[in-house]
Amino acid sequence: MTGTIKRGVSLYSFQNETFLGKMTLEDCIRTCAEMGATGIEVIGEQTFWGWPEQPVPENKITDWHALMTKYGTVPVAHDAMLDYKRYNGRVMALDEQVASMKRDIDFAAALGMRFVRSLVSVSPEVLVASAPHAEEKGIKILLEVHAPLHFDHPWIVRHAEAYEKSGSGALGFLPDMGMFLHRFPPVWKERFIRNGAPRHIADYIEKAYEDRTLSEYIVMNVREMGGEGAAMAMAETLRHNAAYEPKRMLDFMGRIHNVHGKFYEMTEDLVEPSIPYDEIVQVLKQGGYSGYICSEYEGNRWIEDAHPVESVEQVRRQQAMLARLIDEPVATTNSSARAA
């Protein structure tokens, strides 16, 4: 059984360009459309000034829909940030968290989104309590399954059990492909070396990760090798990343409705060196997945100290790779990385 997988982009991928004023919202959407990536995912705080502390003016919502029409793009997901620790000395009560989630659901509905991404830290009780409102608005709430968590983690299993018990179809999952980190990303390694990690220690960490050595042993060995500072920081990343098995998504496919195409680097030959996208897409096909894979570029923070960040080119390369993997013709338009 196979589904028709679609391509999209999280505008989070263009955070450097939008922060520096090099790309407007229209530039971002036009660029995605030129790549043939018609699904658009946003983080409200990045895309709409003032959100969530201030409501987004109606004219901005109208402008958003006009851009969707102009470029033939589709609103896919709003990534909600439930700040349940916003008050000093206490965590938000359940009813406060639910009210916050409902506000994000209303915002997503106003934008024409189908999904609200929930941070993985949000409890199942909050999401189950928010589900009836999501159903009324035609929205699904998707918990992001993000490293170091994975589909066999007790916290994720607890959510899955709560979803089934609730009987609501408005609750699901959004797997982040960063949980399938099968090799240590080269851009991470080089950044740690620039930060002071001795290359021989960096080489050891890279090889030990590839050999699936227990992270605690690697940290201990790096310390015994005289590692400190950047070397220890590089070793500590292994506590928060692992090469989980993509096939584990199959048991949850009925509640997987959107996918974050996390990537740290796309080479000129259209390969992500650390995440096995060929295997991942094959699993999604096997599971009959028919939603979007939204590019989520996070390599910027690992290179910006030494190289220009070229997010558009990086996303273009991933989109070309995805088009090949889902058996779609590669878009031939040569998109511009700069604002008009």
Side-chain angles (χ1 to χ4, degrees):
M1 177 181 178
T2 60
T4 303
I5 300 173
K6 297 177 281 291
R7 295 188 289 117
V9 176
S10 168
L11 300 191
Y12 179 73
S13 300
F14 305 136
Q15 60 186 277
N16 279 66
E17 289 79 0
T18 54
F19 177 76
L20 295 173
K22 295 181 178 179
M23 293 180 74
T24 65
L25 175 58
E26 181 166 4
D27 294 329
C28 293
I29 293 171
R30 182 185 65 249
T31 298
C32 295
E34 289 173 344
M35 296 175 185
T38 56
I40 305 296
E41 181 170 351
V42 302
I43 296 177
E45 288 88 331
Q46 174 189 346
T47 302
F48 297 94
W49 189 92
W51 177 264
E53 300 302 326
Q54 300 178 25
V56 176
E58 283 298 322
N59 67 305
K60 295 297 183 182
I61 303 294
T62 299
D63 290 346
W64 162 266
H65 287 290
L67 290 172
M68 294 294 103
T69 299
K70 181 177 180 179
Y71 293 104
T73 46
V74 178
V76 174
H78 158 53
D79 292 1
M81 302 285 189
L82 176 51
D83 187 10
Y84 53 85
K85 294 184 178 180
R86 67 181 302 165
Y87 301 116
N88 288 332
R90 72 177 183 90
V91 173
M92 277 185 180
L94 175 63
D95 61 339
E96 291 176 306
Q97 294 189 49
V98 173
S100 179
M101 184 61 68
K102 286 181 176 179
R103 190 165 180 237
D104 278 299
I105 290 168
D106 290 342
F107 183 47
L111 295 175
M113 300 293 188
R114 298 174 57 195
F115 310 117
V116 167
R117 184 290 311 265
S118 168
L119 289 171
V120 73
S121 56
V122 178
S123 76
E125 291 77 15
V126 171
L127 302 185
V128 169
S130 303
H133 188 68
E135 292 173 3
E136 291 176 8
K137 296 291 183 176
I139 297 285
K140 294 184 187 296
I141 309 171
L142 307 182
L143 186 81
E144 182 176 17
V145 184
H146 191 291
L149 278 66
H150 50 92
F151 279 107
D152 289 314
H153 192 283
W155 181 248
I156 303 304
V157 172
R158 179 179 159 190
H159 278 79
E161 291 173 346
Y163 295 173
E164 291 306 310
K165 184 177 180 180
S166 76
S168 176
L171 299 169
F173 295 104
L174 191 167
D176 181 285
M177 298 301 95
M179 79 176 97
F180 306 127
L181 200 73
H182 283 203
R183 289 186 58 206
F184 197 87
V187 291
W188 292 17
K189 177 184 177 182
E190 294 305 318
R191 178 64 187 263
F192 282 117
I193 290 172
R194 292 195 301 273
N195 285 356
R199 184 167 288 276
H200 74 283
I201 293 182
D203 289 342
Y204 162 74
I205 294 171
E206 180 182 44
K207 182 63 165 57
Y209 186 81
E210 186 174 333
D211 291 341
R212 306 294 181 256
T213 304
L214 193 65
S215 60
E216 285 78 5
Y217 291 169
I218 298 174
V219 171
M220 178 182 67
N221 290 342
V222 169
R223 186 177 291 112
E224 291 179 350
M225 293 168 71
E228 55 185 16
M232 291 306 302
M234 181 176 177
E236 287 287 346
T237 64
L238 306 192
R239 297 186 190 273
H240 306 283
N241 296 278
Y244 298 112
E245 175 54 63
K247 288 182 180 179
R248 291 299 297 120
M249 291 189 289
L250 292 174
D251 287 342
F252 299 83
M253 201 61 71
R255 289 192 183 269
I256 292 176
H257 303 295
N258 193 27
V259 170
H260 276 176
K262 173 74 61 60
F263 73 102
Y264 300 103
E265 176 188 15
M266 289 297 302
T267 63
E268 291 184 357
D269 56 350
L270 308 183
V271 172
E272 213 301 348
S274 57
I275 300 174
Y277 269 94
D278 51 350
E279 181 180 348
I280 288 167
V281 172
Q282 188 57 43
V283 168
L284 292 173
K285 287 180 178 179
Q286 181 182 345
Y289 180 69
S290 59
Y292 286 88
I293 300 176
C294 291
S295 291
E296 190 182 53
Y297 175 50
E298 282 196 9
N300 54 340
R301 67 195 63 174
W302 297 96
I303 66 169
E304 59 189 353
D305 66 306
H307 310 289
V309 175
E310 298 181 342
S311 305
V312 172
E313 175 59 18
Q314 284 290 301
V315 172
R316 184 199 67 77
R317 292 177 184 181
Q318 195 200 36
Q319 287 295 320
M321 176 195 71
L322 291 174
R324 174 180 59 81
L325 292 176
I326 66 175
D327 305 314
E328 176 193 319
V330 176
T332 57
T333 302
N334 183 20
S335 63
S336 173
R338 297 295 177 260

